[in-house]
Amino acid sequence: MSILIVLILFFLIVIWLLSVPIEINLTIDTNSTNKLQFRTKWLYGLVTFQSSKFKLGEQTNKGIRKTKKTRKYKKKKKPSNNGNARRFILAMIKSKGFLKRIIQFISDCIKSIRFRDTQISVLVGLGDPADTGNIVAILAPIFLWLRLGPISNATFEADYYHLIFRFTASAKIRVIPLDYVRLIFCLLISPTLWRSVKSGIVASSE
């Protein structure tokens, strides 16, 4: 009986922890030294994580170097069972309703993200009035749609005589982990997913 009570309490604590929202403050500024900054808070501020120095250029170069090293290492290995994996994946993709279910899952995940105080500002100039005008013709309607729709604080400016680009954005993102646990659980018990997996197993075994 005591073990059952402990399990129930443990389950309730896990549910409560998963229901506590994670808040992320994200800032991007291409002209700043620290181009990307973010701060994450959980358990109502008891658990926090803040980026101190995160330069996009340095991180990109490190990623490139790591990728190159990984590729060199992988080239030495002989591929095995690539054909079976390819047939498995293709069979799942071709299975009826699989892509629609995955698109719905991704859409539900995006809808579960709450954006607050979102701001976007872009300043662009190509150094030539004609070229800059072409960019304005493409981007201006997009920013008009953003202002009228999801992001009211979206601004777009053009410099017709100088070569310049600046992008700044900030947002407060709120995520509830329990929402994603529910979405993943619904995906795992979906008949469409298991039908696709079965098709993949049959195709890979041929």
Side-chain angles (χ1 to χ4, degrees):
M1 189 67 180
S2 60
I3 296 177
L4 180 60
I5 295 175
V6 171
L7 290 176
I8 293 174
L9 289 175
F10 176 77
F11 178 76
L12 292 175
I13 291 173
V14 171
I15 294 297
W16 175 74
L17 290 175
L18 292 175
S19 64
V20 176
I22 299 173
E23 295 185 357
I24 303 172
N25 294 338
L26 180 65
T27 303
I28 301 174
D29 188 348
T30 56
N31 279 19
S32 175
T33 302
N34 301 327
K35 298 183 184 297
L36 175 62
Q37 298 179 351
F38 62 93
R39 182 180 181 184
T40 304
K41 294 191 299 182
W42 186 51
L43 285 178
Y44 308 104
L46 294 177
V47 180
T48 61
F49 173 79
Q50 183 173 359
S51 67
S52 54
K53 293 182 179 180
F54 192 99
K55 298 181 181 180
L56 293 179
E58 292 182 2
Q59 294 295 324
T60 303
N61 293 335
K62 290 180 180 179
I64 292 172
R65 288 195 293 268
K66 289 182 179 179
T67 304
K68 289 181 178 178
K69 291 180 180 179
T70 305
R71 287 177 180 173
K72 289 180 180 178
Y73 179 73
K74 286 183 177 180
K75 285 181 180 178
K76 297 179 181 179
K77 288 188 173 183
K78 294 182 179 180
S80 60
N81 296 328
N82 286 339
N84 292 339
R86 190 180 298 109
R87 286 194 295 270
F88 180 85
I89 294 173
L90 289 176
M92 287 189 64
I93 294 174
K94 293 179 181 179
S95 179
K96 183 179 179 180
F98 175 75
L99 287 178
K100 183 179 179 181
R101 184 66 184 87
I102 294 300
I103 292 172
Q104 180 186 349
F105 172 74
I106 296 173
S107 176
D108 291 340
C109 288
I110 295 174
K111 289 178 182 178
S112 298
I113 302 174
R114 282 88 167 174
F115 290 92
R116 297 183 300 169
D117 301 332
T118 305
Q119 298 180 358
I120 293 178
S121 177
V122 172
L123 172 62
V124 62
L126 300 181
D128 181 84
D131 294 337
T132 304
N134 292 332
I135 294 295
V136 171
I138 297 173
L139 296 182
I142 297 176
F143 275 81
L144 178 61
W145 173 79
L146 289 174
R147 283 197 297 270
L148 297 176
I151 305 175
S152 58
N153 293 326
T155 59
F156 174 71
E157 297 179 86
D159 189 328
Y160 289 89
Y161 301 100
H162 299 90
L163 181 63
I164 186 173
F165 175 77
R166 182 172 184 180
F167 175 81
T168 60
S170 63
K172 292 181 180 179
I173 303 172
R174 192 168 180 263
V175 176
I176 299 178
L178 190 60
D179 291 342
Y180 292 91
V181 173
R182 176 180 58 82
L183 292 174
I184 293 172
F185 177 76
C186 292
L187 178 65
L188 292 177
I189 65 174
S190 171
T192 303
L193 177 65
W194 289 106
R195 185 169 58 248
S196 303
V197 172
K198 182 179 178 181
S199 300
I201 294 174
V202 172
S204 60
S205 61
E206 292 179 354

